[in-house]
């Protein structure tokens, strides 16, 4: 139910300076105009593919996207966020230069109407990422680009019952030998809602993160 923001999210991907990609849109159940918006873009750009979810919420959508992806890299984003035009190009360049398996970036947190709340700087060196991973996530989840071959080689998937599914995913990848990094530029805007799932379930997420 992100119809109010979905067109801006899709347009931000279609406007990438690195234009050789396929946009997989994972659609689950919605009670707003989401599906109609997606279908209008399907008719306009052959790079877009629609995949219907199976009622398994975010984790199910993430795993469907991983399974369906055929490119060298997978870049993910939520339906209410915004990728800056050079996001793909700069993340690919850094991943190839540093031989990374996962790469995020600095992010801007914006409110419901797109007004900036603050900018968040992510750790850039391998050591800083490792230190950060000891207690919290080293990436903004929606901003991450992943190397497909690493995920396939290790059959890496998000866990359905994990309340902190992204943190568990990064921990598992790290112990499998993944190389992490972040582009030291703001390439992504994350829309912050007071009633987001991470806020509503903050205590459960914090407890699961502590256990991990």
């Amino acid at each position: 139910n992100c119809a109010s923001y979905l067109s801006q999210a899709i347009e931000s991907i279609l406007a990438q300076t690195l234009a050789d990609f396929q946009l997989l849109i994972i659609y689950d159940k919605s009670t707003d105009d989401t599906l109609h918006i997606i279908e209008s873009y399907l008719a306009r750009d052959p790079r877009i593919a629609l995949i219907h979810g199976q009622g398994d919420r975010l984790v199910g959508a993430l795993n469907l996207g991983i399974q369906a992806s055929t490119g060298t890299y997978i870049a993910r984003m939520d339906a209410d966020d915004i990728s800056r035009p050079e996001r793909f190009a700069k993340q690919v360049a850094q991943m190839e230069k540093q031989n990374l398996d996962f790469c995020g970036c600095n992010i801007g947190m914006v409110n419901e109407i797109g007004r900036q709340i603050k900018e968040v700087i992510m750790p850039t060196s391998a050591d800083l990422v490792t230190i950060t991973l000891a207690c919290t996530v080293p990436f903004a989840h929606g901003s991450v680009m992943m190397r497909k071959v690493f995920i396939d080689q290790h059959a890496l998937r998000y866990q359905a019952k994990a309340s902190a599914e992204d943190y568990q995913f990064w921990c598992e990848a790290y112990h499998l030998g993944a190389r992490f990094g972040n582009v030291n530029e703001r390439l992504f805007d994350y829309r912050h809602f007071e009633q987001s799932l991470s806020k509503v379930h903050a205590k459960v997420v914090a407890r699961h993160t502590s256990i991990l």
Side-chain angles (χ1 to χ4, degrees):
N1 286 335
C2 286
S4 299
Y5 310 106
L6 183 58
S7 290
Q8 188 177 14
I10 293 174
E11 293 285 356
S12 79
I13 298 299
L14 300 181
Q16 291 295 303
T17 58
L18 192 163
D20 183 14
F21 61 81
Q22 182 181 37
L23 172 56
L24 304 178
I25 301 180
I26 317 299
Y27 170 78
D28 217 316
K29 296 177 181 177
S30 179
T31 58
D32 62 9
D33 206 28
T34 293
L35 184 58
H36 177 74
I37 294 170
I38 296 170
E39 289 174 339
S40 72
Y41 279 98
L42 276 174
R44 290 155 49 186
D45 197 310
R47 294 175 297 179
I48 300 175
L50 171 62
I51 298 173
H52 286 268
Q54 300 166 346
D56 294 328
R57 304 179 66 84
L58 175 61
V59 167
L62 291 168
N63 288 334
L64 278 175
I66 289 173
Q67 181 179 331
S69 298
T70 59
T72 303
Y73 300 104
I74 301 172
R76 72 160 302 262
M77 190 176 80
D78 293 320
D80 53 5
D81 296 330
I82 304 163
S83 288
R84 299 292 180 95
E86 294 187 334
R87 177 194 166 189
F88 287 2
K90 291 191 173 183
Q91 285 183 316
V92 166
Q94 183 145 328
M95 292 183 79
E96 293 185 348
K97 181 180 179 180
Q98 299 181 359
N99 196 26
L100 301 177
D101 297 302
F102 296 87
C103 183
C105 60
N106 297 339
I107 68 166
M109 291 185 67
V110 300
N111 64 14
E112 296 181 22
I113 61 173
R115 185 172 298 163
Q116 181 170 329
I117 300 170
K118 64 178 179 179
E119 185 168 348
V120 181
I121 308 301
M122 296 297 173
T124 52
S125 71
D127 287 344
L128 281 175
V129 170
T130 300
I131 291 168
T132 303
L133 189 64
C135 55
T136 188
V137 292
F139 314 107
H141 194 191
S143 74
V144 174
M145 183 174 282
M146 321 177 200
R147 190 179 294 273
K148 170 72 168 172
V149 68
F150 180 90
I151 293 174
D152 286 348
Q153 284 176 347
H154 300 286
L156 195 58
R157 293 293 186 271
Y158 289 88
Q159 300 302 310
K161 295 183 179 181
S163 53
E165 73 284 331
D166 57 329
Y167 187 54
Q168 180 161 334
F169 191 82
W170 311 138
C171 288
E172 289 183 11
Y174 177 81
H175 286 289
L176 290 167
R179 296 173 294 272
F180 294 161
N182 281 295
V183 177
N184 191 23
E185 291 185 50
R186 178 180 171 180
L187 302 175
F188 186 82
D189 287 339
Y190 168 80
R191 206 176 296 271
H192 175 81
F193 298 94
E194 286 301 322
Q195 293 302 312
S196 67
L197 287 177
S198 59
K199 287 285 185 183
V200 173
H201 303 302
K203 290 184 179 179
V204 175
V205 172
R207 186 164 59 248
H208 186 219
T209 299
S210 178
I211 291 169
L212 285 169

